[in-house]
């Protein structure tokens, strides 16, 4: 017999190691697990004797496996369930809750727990599955390594170790063994190979090193590789997470845990930090302090390697509004899946996801034309393409009617039933009741409750969730937090499942104070910036063509403004004054620049207007899309370049139309300084529009919504008119004019037409024209670079 012992829960604390807490109608018992092989059953001879009718005489065995235990079902009368699924052979993880005859009279619940010190050592362990569920390259497996030779790793069935996930490249990596030295080599994979959280091209492995490839974790042992499919077994542990912004505490020492197959809801009063918390947990906004551990790895130290495991659906739609559902999801697949995934395979995955979410009949409908529930399902579909194991949803049922709320809630439950770990922010009562556990936050980000929905009502002594909100709103948050920590509920149901400070101190390194640009935009050699640029540019063009109303307005701007301008222009507005006129004016103190018409200034102002107005709303209106794609690996440069190139082409078309219509009314000079004058004038207008485009991108990356961006356009355009002619003065206004697009573009047009632009006339040669063009190019470059910097520094 073993020395496994049972004690009532009020006795002394269990000995260090593993414990099994058994709850039934008879009460609660705690068993210390200290032996290597333990029989659990109704028989008196069992090591763990449970005198319950639903328990078989020999119900199960607990066999030590590493630092944990393996649960092996023996009895056939009543199955043992983990989150509703029968268990036959299972490597237990801390917090696993096993049930026998759940929901029936005499039901038994068994909670497996590890001591805090032992738990710290088992952070690298992930969920194993029943033997019936283990397939090649799924669950947990072992691949023996030869003494000398190599092992190929990839998605291809020809690989020695097949990792069956679309986020893994066909030929992803290779392990080489030579003279007792083992090296792993990344084969220019799309999503990278990571050793102990760091991107690696070539690395010598030592026993215990953890290699992450896509959603898989490979643990290197002395003569074999242990591989885990983490996409079905993601555990999240949060300890002491605090977020302070400008001296204001948004989150205060938040600690919680979430398990595979569980829906964890984050609820709380307004301003309690719910969205701040979920953004800290998904990698979007690093906390000021604390630890966020995903399957034993620090989220912010190893974010690039953990990226394939994470799916995030914010409140807003994360798909381009004017694309159809199918096309939007196809672009998501091309951006997030490796380049060696064929178009057919990617499209097949999109079709599979649409069918799973009942979107197939709406595949040809534009996102903007979907109902609220369909938009939410489309956003969830985008995340399901890469099969993440850790799902975050921010207010998934906001704005939905009760029927749609129930439907979306059902989808969330299905995600968890499939093995995903689901964390959602919600205030909807039905969603909260459907969650497995609730974390309730009060003002200042204080945790005032963690537990099941039923436990929440019992803890607060109320019959509905609305009353909980009223209690929390009326009470002091710090006092509520202290009350939780002092409660029996916390000691029994919460504290055992949390990582303790003593356990992780020295085991998990402190989070890095990383620049999010470096963290989120980590370079992945196999996914080139050029490929990302091509995909997002094509998507942007298709999206613009789908928004026919706005496109019509943009294309109509130039002809309408040109016609109006032609009505007030004179045929000789581009004709330079004669030398006699300039000389006579000088006799009376009239500067030569006074003889110029205002047409050049108006043309420069129109070109500036086109560029700024085109670009101002284009990034800010896509903020939710950009934020999500950035987390998924989209770089700043390809995204910004796609906007710049497409809008620059639009500006070129607009300025060409503007000048062409003006030329019907105005006599343009035939020859310029370097080339035909009409071509020189168009280049000048185009450069002016492109420089203003850069200014528009600055506006778009510096404002919080589309309306504000549109409101800033006239504010930045008016100085372009005020200071356009200030270059001829000698005061401060002259220096201000150097930063205006209209100053340089109007002078460039005057140089081409030999129209005086200074008091004495000015220079009309190639050097002068090229200087004006260079100034416009420099302004465009500075504006675009600044917009890129703003985009990279954006926070949610």
């Amino acid at each position: 017999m073993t020395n496994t012992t049972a004690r009532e829960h009020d006795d002394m604390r269990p000995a260090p190691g593993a414990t099994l807490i058994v709850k039934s109608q008879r009460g609660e018992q705690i068993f210390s697990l200290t032996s290597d092989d333990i029989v659990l059953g109704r028989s008196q001879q069992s090591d763990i004797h449970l005198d319950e009718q639903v328990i078989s005489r020999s119900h199960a065995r607990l066999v030590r496996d590493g630092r944990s235990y393996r649960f092996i079902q023996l009895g056939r009368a009543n199955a043992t369930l983990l989150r509703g699924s029968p268990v036959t052979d299972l490597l237990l993880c801390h917090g696993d809750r096993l049930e026998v005859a759940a929901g029936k009279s005499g039901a038994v619940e068994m909670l497996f727990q590890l001591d805090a010190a032992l738990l710290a050592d088992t952070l690298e362990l992930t969920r194993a599955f029943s033997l019936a569920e283990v397939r090649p390259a799924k669950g947990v497996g072992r691949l023996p390594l030869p003494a000398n030779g190599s092992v190929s790793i990839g998605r291809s069935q020809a690989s020695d170790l097949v990792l069956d996930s679309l986020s893994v490249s066909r030929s992803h990596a290779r392990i080489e063994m030579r003279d007792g030295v083992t090296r792993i080599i990344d084969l220019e994979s799309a999503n990278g190979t990571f050793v102990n959280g760091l991107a690696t091209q070539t690395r010598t492995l030592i026993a215990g090193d953890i290699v992450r490839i896509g959603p898989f974790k490979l643990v290197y042992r002395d003569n074999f590789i242990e591989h885990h499919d983490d996409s079905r077994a993601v555990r999240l542990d949060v300890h002491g997470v605090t977020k302070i912004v400008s001296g204001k505490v948004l989150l205060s020492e938040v600690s919680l845990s979430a398990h595979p197959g569980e829906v964890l809801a984050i609820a709380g009063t307004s301003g309690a930090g719910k969205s701040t918390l979920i953004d800290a947990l998904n990698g979007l906004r690093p906390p000021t302090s604390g630890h966020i551990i995903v399957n034993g790895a620090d989220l912010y130290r190893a974010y690039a390697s953990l990226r394939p495991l994470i799916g995030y659906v914010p409140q807003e739609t994360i798909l381009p509004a004017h694309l159809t559902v199918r096309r939007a999801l196809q672009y998501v697949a091309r951006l997030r899946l490796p380049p060696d995934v064929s178009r057919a395979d990617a499209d097949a995955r999109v079709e599979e996801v649409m069918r799973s979410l009942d979107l197939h009949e709406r595949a040809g409908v534009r996102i903007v034309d979907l109902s609220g529930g369909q938009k939410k399902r489309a956003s969830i579909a985008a995340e399901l393409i890469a099969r993440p194991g850790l799902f975050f949803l921010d207010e998934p049922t906001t704005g939905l009617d009760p029927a749609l709320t129930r439907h979306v809630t059902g989808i969330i439950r299905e995600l968890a039933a499939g093995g995903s770990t689901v964390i959602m922010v919600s205030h909807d009562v039905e969603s909260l009741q459907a969650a497995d556990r609730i974390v309730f936050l009060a003002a200042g980000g204080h945790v005032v409750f963690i537990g099941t929905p039923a436990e929440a009502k019992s803890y607060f002594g109320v019959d509905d969730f609305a009353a909980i909100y009223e209690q929390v709103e009326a009470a002091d948050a710090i006092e509520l937090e202290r009350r939780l920590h002092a409660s029996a509920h916390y000691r029994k149901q919460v504290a055992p499942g949390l990582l303790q400070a003593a356990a992780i101190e020295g085991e998990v390194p402190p989070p890095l104070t990383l620049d999010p640009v470096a963290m989120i935009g980590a370079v992945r050699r196999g996914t080139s910036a050029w490929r990302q640029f091509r995909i997002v540019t094509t998507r942007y063009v298709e999206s613009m063509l789908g928004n026919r109303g706005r496109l019509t307005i943009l294309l109509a701007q130039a002809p309408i403004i040109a016609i109006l301008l032609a009505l007030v222009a004179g045929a000789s507005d581009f004709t330079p004054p004669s030398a006699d006129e300039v000389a006579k004016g000088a006799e009376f103190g009239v500067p030569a620049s006074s003889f110029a018409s205002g047409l050049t200034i108006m043309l420069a102002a129109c070109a500036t207007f086109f560029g700024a107005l085109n670009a101002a709303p284009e990034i800010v209106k896509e903020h939710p899309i950009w934020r999500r794609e950035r987390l998924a690996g989209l770089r700043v440069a390809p995204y910004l370049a796609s906007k710049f190139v497409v809008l620059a082409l639009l500006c070129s078309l607009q300025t060409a139309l503007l000048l062409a219509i003006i030329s019907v009314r105005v006599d343009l000079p035939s020859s310029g300084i370097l080339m035909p004058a009409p071509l020189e004038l168009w280049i000048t207008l185009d450069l002016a529009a492109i420089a203003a485009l850069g200014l528009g991108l600055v506006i778009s990356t510096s404002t919080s919504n589309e309306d504000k961006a549109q409101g800033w356009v006239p504010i930045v355009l008016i100085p372009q008119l005020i200071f356009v002619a200030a270059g001829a003065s000698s005061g401060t206004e002259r220096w201000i004019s150097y930063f205006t697009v209209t100053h340089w573009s109007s002078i460039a047009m005057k140089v081409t037409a030999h129209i005086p632009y200074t008091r004495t006339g000015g220079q009309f040669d190639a050097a002068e024209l090229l200087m004006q063009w260079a100034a416009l190019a420099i302004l465009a470059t500075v504006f675009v670079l600044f917009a890129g910097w703003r985009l990279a520094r954006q926070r949610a």
Side-chain angles (χ1 to χ4, degrees):
M1 281 294 176
T2 70
N3 59 351
T4 302
T5 58
R7 299 178 304 282
E8 294 300 322
H9 66 273
D10 290 331
D11 290 349
M12 68 178 68
R13 292 175 57 83
T19 59
L20 190 70
I21 302 174
V22 179
K23 299 179 182 179
S24 67
Q25 292 179 345
R26 299 175 186 271
E28 179 180 293
Q29 291 176 291
I30 301 178
F31 297 90
S32 295
L33 308 182
T34 56
S35 298
D36 293 337
D37 195 338
I38 303 167
V39 176
L40 178 151
R42 198 172 70 249
S43 170
Q44 292 285 351
Q45 285 71 42
S46 300
D47 302 314
I48 296 179
H49 171 56
L50 300 178
D51 190 13
E52 305 289 345
Q53 285 299 115
V54 298
I55 298 294
S56 301
R57 289 182 59 81
S58 295
H59 190 87
R61 288 174 60 202
L62 295 172
V63 181
R64 190 184 298 278
D65 189 338
R67 301 183 183 92
S68 185
Y69 279 84
R70 184 171 294 278
F71 183 96
I72 301 172
Q73 179 80 9
L74 300 177
R76 297 182 179 181
N78 289 299
T80 304
L81 306 179
L82 176 66
R83 293 182 295 278
S85 299
V87 170
T88 56
D89 189 316
L90 177 75
L91 181 64
L92 294 172
C93 284
H94 175 75
D96 279 348
R97 194 180 300 270
L98 304 174
E99 297 174 301
V100 182
K104 300 179 182 178
S105 176
V108 173
E109 179 183 286
M110 295 175 281
L111 178 65
F112 178 78
Q113 294 182 344
L114 294 172
D115 179 81
L118 184 59
L119 180 57
D121 292 333
T122 60
L123 282 175
E124 71 176 42
L125 292 180
T126 56
R127 157 77 53 240
F129 301 94
S130 66
L131 295 180
E133 294 177 316
V134 175
R135 298 177 294 176
K138 291 286 185 182
V140 179
R142 291 186 177 186
L143 177 69
L145 298 176
N148 285 285
S150 64
V151 171
S152 60
I153 303 173
R155 192 176 77 253
S156 170
Q157 293 298 317
S159 301
D160 298 313
L161 176 55
V162 179
L163 303 181
D164 189 14
S165 169
L166 289 179
S167 61
V168 177
S169 297
R170 288 186 180 276
S171 297
H172 197 105
R174 184 174 67 251
I175 297 177
E176 293 184 347
M177 287 69 62
R178 294 286 185 274
D179 302 323
V181 177
T182 303
R183 295 166 60 236
I184 188 165
I185 302 168
D186 181 77
L187 302 178
E188 301 296 330
S189 63
N191 289 325
T193 300
F194 301 84
V195 179
N196 299 329
L198 300 177
T200 299
Q201 188 63 27
T202 301
R203 174 77 175 264
T204 299
L205 298 177
I206 60 175
D209 278 347
I210 296 176
V211 179
R212 288 192 178 273
I213 294 177
F216 294 89
K217 180 170 70 176
L218 283 61
V219 182
Y220 172 64
R221 307 302 184 189
D222 286 331
N223 56 1
F224 66 91
I225 288 287
E226 183 180 278
H227 49 93
H228 311 250
D229 182 359
D230 273 3
S231 66
R232 299 167 62 195
V234 181
R235 175 185 172 117
L236 176 73
D237 289 291
V238 181
H239 177 77
V241 163
T242 297
K243 181 72 174 181
I244 302 174
V245 177
S246 301
K248 182 179 180 180
V249 178
L250 304 181
L251 296 174
S252 179
E253 295 289 327
V254 175
S255 295
L256 56 89
S257 62
H259 308 279
E262 177 181 53
V263 177
L264 179 70
I266 300 173
T269 56
S270 178
K274 301 183 295 294
S275 292
T276 301
L277 176 58
I278 200 171
D279 284 348
L281 301 184
N282 65 35
L284 194 59
R285 290 194 280 182
T288 305
S289 61
H291 302 282
I292 300 172
I293 310 300
V294 177
N295 280 358
D298 185 281
L299 176 66
Y300 286 93
R301 282 183 172 268
Y303 184 83
S305 67
L306 297 172
R307 191 197 325 261
L309 297 177
I310 298 174
Y312 171 46
V313 180
Q315 294 183 41
E316 308 93 340
T317 303
I318 57 174
L319 297 171
H322 297 282
L323 293 182
T324 65
V325 174
R326 177 179 282 113
R327 292 297 291 161
L329 294 178
Q330 286 174 345
Y331 279 115
V332 170
R334 292 172 197 172
L335 274 174
R336 300 190 190 179
L337 300 179
D340 61 9
V341 174
S342 69
R343 182 72 61 87
D345 286 345
D347 291 349
R349 177 58 185 159
V350 168
E351 298 298 321
E352 178 187 347
V353 167
M354 286 194 298
R355 285 192 177 91
S356 70
L357 294 175
D358 297 326
L359 285 170
H360 200 264
E361 293 183 357
R362 308 291 287 170
V365 179
R366 296 187 308 168
I367 299 295
V368 70
D369 297 325
L370 297 176
S371 67
Q374 290 166 346
K375 287 179 182 178
K376 191 63 64 177
R377 279 187 280 155
S379 293
I380 293 174
E383 299 306 308
L384 285 178
I385 287 174
R387 292 189 176 96
L390 180 58
F391 235 98
F392 295 94
L393 301 103
D394 193 355
E395 300 283 6
T397 58
T398 297
L400 303 184
D401 60 42
L404 289 176
T405 295
R406 181 164 298 179
H407 187 62
V408 171
T409 300
I411 291 173
I412 294 170
R413 289 300 322 172
E414 289 176 7
L415 291 174
S420 294
T421 305
V422 181
I423 300 174
M424 67 173 179
V425 169
S426 183
H427 62 270
D428 175 74
V429 172
E430 184 164 354
S431 297
L432 295 179
Q433 289 177 333
D436 295 298
R437 287 189 300 137
I438 299 173
V439 176
F440 211 99
L441 299 179
H446 293 273
V447 177
V448 297
F449 178 78
I450 300 178
T452 67
E455 289 171 342
K457 294 178 184 179
S458 174
Y459 178 81
F460 287 100
V462 298
D463 295 327
D464 59 76
F465 282 98
I468 297 178
Y469 282 87
E470 292 174 2
Q471 278 194 29
V472 174
E473 190 78 46
D476 180 75
I478 297 177
E479 287 302 318
L480 287 176
E481 184 179 51
R482 289 173 179 169
R483 173 193 164 192
L484 173 67
H485 290 173
S487 68
H489 167 78
Y490 187 85
R491 291 194 304 272
K492 295 179 182 179
Q493 304 296 334
V494 181
L498 299 179
L499 289 175
Q500 301 299 320
I504 65 171
E505 186 176 358
E507 298 289 340
V508 179
L512 294 176
T513 308
L514 290 178
D515 182 343
V517 181
M519 179 197 70
I520 297 174
V523 174
R524 298 178 296 166
R525 298 182 60 177
T527 303
S528 67
W530 170 244
R531 182 172 186 270
Q532 289 186 342
F533 168 74
R534 286 189 291 108
I535 294 171
V536 293
T537 299
T538 306
R539 182 180 70 178
Y540 184 37
V541 171
E542 192 171 332
S543 184
M544 287 189 70
L545 294 175
N547 190 359
R548 296 177 183 175
R550 174 164 170 76
L551 184 61
T552 300
I553 292 173
L554 292 177
L555 293 177
Q557 281 181 151
I560 293 172
I561 292 175
I563 290 171
L564 296 175
L565 196 56
L567 293 176
V568 299
S572 61
D573 279 352
F574 263 104
T575 302
S578 65
D580 291 341
E581 290 175 321
V582 173
K584 186 174 293 186
E587 292 179 5
F588 294 95
V590 178
S593 57
S594 298
F595 289 93
S597 75
L599 182 59
T600 56
I601 294 176
M602 286 187 283
L603 285 173
C606 288
T608 304
F609 171 81
F610 292 154
L613 193 65
N614 290 348
E618 292 305 296
I619 292 179
V620 67
K621 74 179 183 182
E622 289 188 355
H623 179 69
I625 300 173
W626 157 245
R627 182 175 65 171
R628 180 62 195 103
E629 294 298 350
R630 186 186 182 193
L631 276 175
L634 179 59
R635 300 177 180 88
V636 171
Y639 178 75
L640 188 64
S642 72
K643 300 295 183 186
F644 179 82
V645 169
V646 174
L647 293 174
L649 291 174
L650 177 62
C651 288
S652 298
L653 177 60
Q654 289 174 316
T655 52
L657 287 172
L658 176 68
L659 191 61
I661 294 174
I662 287 294
S663 67
V664 175
R665 171 71 173 173
V666 179
D667 296 329
L668 301 181
S670 58
S671 59
I673 304 299
L674 298 172
M675 57 193 76
L679 182 57
E680 280 187 9
L681 293 173
W682 175 72
I683 290 175
T684 297
L685 289 174
D686 197 27
L687 286 173
I690 290 174
L693 186 164
L695 188 57
L697 292 176
V698 170
I699 295 172
S700 198
T701 55
S702 303
T703 50
S704 58
N705 59 60
E706 194 172 348
D707 290 337
K708 289 183 179 179
Q710 298 282 19
W712 270 99
V713 172
I715 295 176
V716 300
L717 287 182
I718 289 174
Q720 304 287 332
L721 296 175
I722 294 175
F723 295 99
V724 63
S729 63
S730 57
T732 304
E733 63 272 19
R734 175 184 180 184
W735 294 102
I736 295 177
S737 72
Y738 291 158
F739 295 94
T740 63
V741 174
T742 49
H743 169 79
W744 302 102
S745 55
S746 63
I747 290 179
M749 285 186 283
K750 290 176 181 178
V751 170
T752 294
H754 289 74
I755 298 174
Y757 57 89
T758 66
R759 297 186 65 86
T760 57
Q763 299 295 317
F764 305 102
D765 53 29
E768 187 69 16
L769 179 63
L770 291 175
M771 186 182 76
Q772 313 305 317
W773 284 357
L776 290 171
I778 290 172
L779 284 177
T781 302
V782 170
F783 289 147
V784 171
L785 290 177
F786 185 73
W789 179 80
R790 288 288 306 170
L791 192 61
R793 303 297 299 180
Q794 273 185 357
R795 299 293 188 269

